[in-house]
Amino acid sequence: VERHLPTEDQQVTVGLFDLLLGHRDRERWHEVILRYLVTSSDLDVYGIIVTSIVASRDEHLIRALRALAGDERDHAKRQLLDHALELA
């Protein structure tokens, strides 16, 4: 995970998070997932990941997204969070 996370290849990043969110021990990766969301500036990947989190129905991560939405200062990220959370 740490080796592939700093990539600038959007497909690799999306694939990595798809694997993490689908992993049976997903909670092991919660911190990595949330850290990426806080630090990411790639809005395309960000939107895919937050929507995938909602689709995963992982209550811990969805609560974390709600907390992020409350603190998010970046208007574009906030809109992506709000849109994804409408589906939760």
Side-chain angles (χ1 to χ4, degrees):
V1 171
E2 298 300 327
R3 182 174 52 140
H4 294 290
L5 197 54
T7 185
E8 292 184 22
D9 186 327
Q10 290 179 325
Q11 290 179 329
V12 170
T13 303
V14 169
L16 175 63
F17 282 97
D18 187 51
L19 288 171
L20 295 179
L21 290 169
H23 196 278
R24 65 182 167 164
D25 294 326
R26 172 184 3 193
E27 54 277 347
R28 175 180 169 198
W29 303 107
H30 282 180
E31 184 179 323
V32 171
I33 294 166
L34 295 173
R35 186 173 357 123
Y36 179 83
L37 293 176
V38 169
T39 60
S40 177
S41 60
D42 187 328
L43 295 176
D44 293 329
V45 173
Y46 186 91
I48 292 167
I49 293 171
V50 297
T51 302
S52 295
I53 289 171
V54 171
S56 77
R57 301 289 185 214
D58 184 308
E59 288 300 321
H60 175 80
L61 287 174
I62 292 171
R63 280 193 305 275
L65 286 185
R66 287 190 174 109
L68 282 176
D71 295 336
E72 187 56 64
R73 301 290 178 243
D74 182 302
H75 180 71
K77 280 186 168 184
R78 177 62 191 258
Q79 283 185 313
L80 291 167
L81 282 165
D82 289 344
H83 179 70
L85 289 168
E86 286 175 5
L87 305 171

